[in-house]
Amino acid sequence: MFQSPYEAIGGEQVIAKLVDAFYERVAKHPDLSPIFPNDLTETARKQKQFLTQYLGGPPLYTAEHGHPMLRARHLPFPITPTRAKAWLACMHEAMDAIGLKGPVRDELYQRLILTAQHMINTPDDER
Ligand code: HEM
């Protein structure tokens, strides 16, 4: 059988390391930290569930929270082009920090660019 991207990336442990490294950076980023909760424990837990299913692993996010409807769930937050770039920069740094390499990194990052662009709901001059 073909491997899923979830298996190719290294499964639960690698996703957990990536998400933890990511939110460490989000918490310190001046454009991002103001719109996130101070305690990112629950946010990180949901993101681990989400990325697991996004990569073709078990549908953990949907099992607990229902359909992701990600754009709708982001509407309460002003997601500007600047914030989308910052989000992607934190993810890129997190991938570097955990030493994630190869085609699975590149495919995941390319897909995240599209998803991040889809989340933009506010122009830069309105934040
Ligand atoms: C939740 C910001 C892109 C997946 C959130 C929250 C914020 C946020 C403020 C709420 C945190 C909380 O209350 O716990 C952003 C910004 C983005 C972005 C600024 C820049 C484009 C993305 C992308 C993905 C994603 C690309 C998917 C790969 C999620 C998930 C949640 C979430 C799964 C949890 C939803 C829930 O409450 O169930 N995001 N996000 N976000 N975000 Fe994003």
Side-chain angles (χ1 to χ4, degrees):
M1 281 302 288
F2 293 110
Q3 261 196 339
S4 65
Y6 172 76
E7 288 161 328
I9 206 172
E12 184 180 350
Q13 287 190 345
V14 172
I15 291 177
K17 269 168 61 178
L18 178 64
V19 170
D20 290 339
F22 171 70
Y23 284 112
E24 260 174 50
R25 286 158 178 81
V26 167
K28 291 185 199 147
H29 198 294
D31 292 322
L32 296 176
S33 60
I35 64 164
F36 278 87
N38 289 330
D39 183 352
L40 289 168
T41 315
E42 185 59 13
T43 313
R45 194 180 73 84
K46 288 176 179 173
Q47 187 64 271
K48 287 170 194 171
Q49 294 175 321
F50 179 79
L51 287 179
T52 297
Q53 74 185 53
Y54 190 76
L55 289 167
L60 302 180
Y61 182 90
T62 298
E64 186 173 330
H65 314 286
H67 192 287
M69 305 182 301
L70 267 198
R71 193 171 194 283
R73 289 192 204 260
H74 284 76
L75 284 179
F77 310 101
I79 315 282
T80 59
T82 295
R83 289 201 173 105
K85 276 195 203 113
W87 193 105
L88 288 166
C90 289
M91 183 55 77
H92 199 273
E93 285 177 21
M95 287 173 163
D96 286 345
I98 70 158
L100 186 63
K101 295 189 183 88
V104 73
R105 171 191 170 131
D106 300 337
E107 281 164 30
L108 173 58
Y109 192 71
Q110 290 309 313
R111 229 179 124 195
L112 288 172
I113 293 174
L114 301 179
T115 306
Q117 281 164 353
H118 183 62
M119 295 306 137
I120 297 171
N121 55 30
T122 306
D124 267 318
D125 53 13
E126 276 179 35
R127 57 182 177 140

